[in-house]
Amino acid sequence: MTNEPIVVHSFINGQSFETAKRYSRENPTNPDEIVGYAPVNTREDTIRAIDAAHEAFSFWRWTSLDERIERMERAIQKLKDATPELARLLSREHGKALYDSEGEFGVSFMWMDYACQTAREVLSDDVEEHDGGKTIISHDPMGVVSAITPWNYPISLSTIKIAPAILAGNTVVLKPSPFAPLTVTKVVEIIAGEFPPGVLNIVHGDADVGVELTSNPKVAKIAFTGGTNTAKSIMKAAADTIKHMTLELGGKDAALILPDFDVNDERAMRRIVISNFLTAGQICMIAKRVYVHRSIYDQFVQKYIEAANKWIRVGDPFNPNVTMGPVNNLRQKKYVQSLVDDAKSRGCEVIPLGQILDKDVFEKGYFLQPTLVLGAGYDDPIAVDEQFGPTVPIMPYDDEEQGIALVNNSIYGLTSSVWGEQEHAIRVARRVEAGTTMINTAAVQGLDVRFPFGGVKQSGVGREYGKEGILGYTETHVINVPKNLELPYIPE
Ligand code: NAD
């Protein structure tokens, strides 16, 4: 692949759709380099895409499940063939290290393969003969799905929605984030090429396009991943037409280190560091605050710094020794820096972590020095707000009750992790308020696409992945066939 800028278009009703206005996407490793141009769609374009999806739904919903699965499997194969090139494009527009981009495609395939393999079991009718007659429960499609995704995992967070929605007989209009619009458009074009026009469409833009996608009466369901504040606007926009929603939102995931955690377990220490710094900390399910029992706090911090200095290697995403690239965009870099500066101004100790491998590249791009923050108060912004970047606070706690209370004292509840002797950790995990709690691992390392994923409290509504992640795109339709047609409800 050359490094010439590419141009992507929106894709509506089976055709590339060119717009008058475009915007450029720079390479976060070298912001002077334009990786490509994406369209700026209008609300009118968005209405066209929704109309096309609505029209396509009228026939797509009646296609057989076999046909949908066959088409999806062909699309997955084509995507797999294209992955080496697409992963490189993703690293260039996103900033994540190449192994990380390849890993994102890997997770997407795990899920899409699972969805195809499980669709027959999940979507087939449930039929029950009983003493009152027969009941058929069918899992009907909903209609047009607006899928709105963030920049941090543009491929997996789009395919997590596209695959189950289409397999269940819905049609989709996807809107990716303006901070990573290029690779996902290529992915959508490949998938859409295997389906009739209108089944899968993509439009680009920001809030104005988003508002149309979330308020248009022809849209039946919103599948959104992004920030909690954006979700609040979406809920309001969707209220007038009572739309179904799956919302995967922000988090401030806690890692709770119990006193029986072995600080000399180097593999476990490496897992903790990765759970804080993978993708430069820009993952919803990254461990964003760490509470360590005071009896092992000093040793833990020392071993943590040793592990972080070994495993965090910052530089060019295409350098095979690099484990961490730049932050995706300047706005995010400034925000994360402001949280670290605030912590410093409150008297926290800020310790630089890791090795900077490519110094010139580091100076030029949207890089941040990875940092550990010690001495933060439990209510300081660094301990409460979602950083979504390469910094993490580690704080001591004194007893189990306090540790659990600290973990639960958050508006969020996406994932969490408990580290220590396994049975002890499971007992503690049962008391944690979160959609997922992992034992002795955290973040993507402990993700299993066969099981439902989502948040409690302000981290979300509904679940993706697992069987629930397919059923979430269906309406439960009960067809009752009573044996006795004239039950005596009304007196003769
Ligand atoms: P964001 O909320 O700013 O944007 C997400 C998407 O919403 C983008 O496509 C954006 O253009 C669109 N959007 C913005 N305003 C809109 C509106 N009014 N109506 C409709 N759409 C609108 O989020 P971001 O900065 O791209 O991503 C970071 C956030 O996403 C973090 O909070 C992170 O925790 C969260 N996230 C959550 C998960 C999860 O599974 N729970 C996964 C990844 C990221």
Side-chain angles (χ1 to χ4, degrees):
M1 184 204 276
T2 67
N3 282 355
E4 287 298 306
I6 64 164
V7 181
V8 298
H9 302 293
S10 40
F11 193 78
I12 299 174
N13 208 18
Q15 291 188 332
S16 276
F17 178 83
E18 291 199 30
T19 51
K21 273 172 78 182
R22 286 177 188 162
Y23 67 95
S24 60
R25 174 62 198 156
E26 75 273 25
N27 180 345
T29 307
N30 173 14
D32 292 340
E33 180 196 323
I34 301 298
V35 183
Y37 296 89
V40 179
N41 282 114
T42 60
R43 277 184 90 144
E44 288 68 35
D45 302 340
T46 313
I47 292 168
R48 282 184 57 170
I50 294 169
D51 285 347
H54 194 251
E55 183 70 28
F57 179 64
S58 62
F59 66 86
W60 183 247
R61 66 174 305 167
W62 302 119
T63 52
S64 71
L65 187 53
D66 283 346
E67 178 185 345
R68 293 180 216 150
I69 293 172
E70 264 170 42
R71 286 177 184 269
M72 190 60 78
E73 284 176 341
R74 280 208 301 274
I76 294 169
Q77 191 51 54
K78 290 205 166 145
L79 265 185
K80 285 182 178 168
D81 295 342
T83 295
E85 194 181 327
L86 292 176
R88 293 180 68 79
L89 179 62
L90 181 60
S91 281
R92 287 181 59 227
E93 71 164 326
H94 186 284
K96 58 175 81 176
L98 185 58
Y99 79 90
D100 201 357
S101 293
E102 289 164 349
E104 178 172 352
F105 274 92
V107 171
S108 308
F109 293 135
M110 267 184 226
W111 165 245
M112 294 174 89
D113 286 340
Y114 170 86
C116 286
Q117 286 153 13
T118 322
R120 278 189 193 86
E121 177 198 333
V122 176
L123 296 172
S124 299
D125 291 351
D126 305 321
V127 183
E128 203 178 319
E129 308 264 0
H130 46 79
D131 55 4
K134 183 162 95 166
T135 301
I136 303 163
I137 299 176
S138 74
H139 305 286
D140 295 356
M142 293 172 152
V144 178
V145 175
S146 288
I148 302 176
T149 54
W151 47 262
N152 64 323
Y153 271 64
I155 309 307
S156 60
L157 296 173
S158 297
T159 51
I160 203 176
K161 299 168 176 52
I162 292 170
I166 291 181
L167 285 170
N170 304 280
T171 56
V172 176
V173 182
L174 177 86
K175 193 205 82 61
S177 163
F179 291 115
L182 305 174
T183 318
V184 67
T185 308
K186 297 273 183 199
V187 166
V188 164
E189 280 175 5
I190 290 174
I191 301 175
E194 297 304 318
F195 291 91
V199 171
L200 175 58
N201 311 271
I202 181 168
V203 291
H204 292 264
D206 210 352
D208 50 341
V209 167
V211 167
E212 188 60 47
L213 284 171
T214 51
S215 60
N216 188 303
K218 288 184 181 166
V219 170
K221 160 145 186 163
I222 298 164
F224 172 78
T225 304
T228 296
N229 284 334
T230 312
K232 290 178 187 174
S233 310
I234 288 176
M235 279 188 137
K236 287 177 192 147
D240 280 347
T241 43
I242 311 281
K243 298 193 190 307
H244 291 273
M245 275 184 218
T246 305
L247 304 173
E248 296 287 358
L249 311 179
K252 185 70 178 175
D253 296 3
L256 184 64
I257 317 291
L258 301 176
D260 45 31
F261 173 77
D262 179 3
V263 291
N264 293 312
D265 181 343
E266 284 183 24
R267 300 293 294 181
M269 221 26 128
R270 177 179 183 261
R271 289 198 297 280
I272 296 181
V273 168
I274 291 171
S275 79
N276 299 136
F277 287 96
L278 185 68
T279 319
Q282 303 165 114
I283 310 185
C284 55
M285 59 188 305
I286 246 348
K288 294 172 181 139
R289 52 194 170 119
V290 181
Y291 300 105
V292 182
H293 193 269
R294 202 179 292 279
S295 61
I296 58 167
Y297 177 80
D298 290 338
Q299 284 167 289
F300 181 93
V301 169
Q302 186 204 329
K303 295 285 180 186
Y304 183 94
I305 294 170
E306 284 171 20
N309 286 342
K310 185 167 170 191
W311 294 111
I312 304 177
R313 299 186 296 266
V314 187
D316 188 328
F318 290 94
N319 176 344
N321 295 321
V322 158
T323 58
M324 201 183 105
V327 170
N328 170 270
N329 59 77
L330 193 55
R331 184 183 75 181
Q332 192 62 19
K333 176 180 165 167
K334 286 183 177 162
Y335 169 69
V336 179
Q337 189 60 56
S338 74
L339 273 178
V340 176
D341 291 345
D342 175 83
K344 255 187 216 159
S345 74
R346 291 166 190 266
C348 294
E349 187 183 358
V350 175
I351 299 172
L353 297 175
Q355 309 158 41
I356 311 295
L357 296 194
D358 303 308
K359 291 220 163 49
D360 294 349
V361 175
F362 184 89
E363 293 307 324
K364 210 166 182 192
Y366 300 148
F367 286 90
L368 272 176
Q369 170 69 55
T371 49
L372 171 62
V373 177
L374 300 178
Y378 296 136
D379 296 325
D380 286 357
I382 191 76
V384 171
D385 297 339
E386 182 182 37
Q387 64 270 48
F388 220 61
T391 182
V392 67
I394 298 187
M395 296 160 280
Y397 68 94
D398 289 297
D399 61 58
E400 199 161 296
E401 288 307 311
Q402 185 201 15
I404 295 167
L406 286 167
V407 169
N408 289 340
N409 184 22
S410 172
I411 60 164
Y412 298 114
L414 190 58
T415 76
S416 55
S417 56
V418 184
W419 304 69
E421 188 278 317
Q422 188 171 305
E423 289 308 314
H424 182 196
I426 293 172
R427 277 198 308 279
V428 171
R430 289 186 191 281
R431 298 181 57 197
V432 168
E433 296 164 2
T436 303
T437 302
M438 299 177 206
I439 307 297
N440 288 320
T441 191
V444 188
Q445 301 165 111
L447 180 71
D448 189 329
V449 300
R450 294 171 300 175
F451 301 103
F453 175 85
V456 303
K457 299 193 268 187
Q458 292 189 33
S459 284
V461 174
R463 294 290 180 269
E464 294 189 309
Y465 286 142
K467 291 176 185 164
E468 279 184 56
I470 302 173
L471 281 176
Y473 291 92
T474 62
E475 296 276 16
T476 303
H477 183 185
V478 177
I479 300 171
N480 253 337
V481 194
K483 213 160 31 186
N484 180 357
L485 295 175
E486 292 184 23
L487 289 172
Y489 286 130
I490 298 173
E492 294 280 348

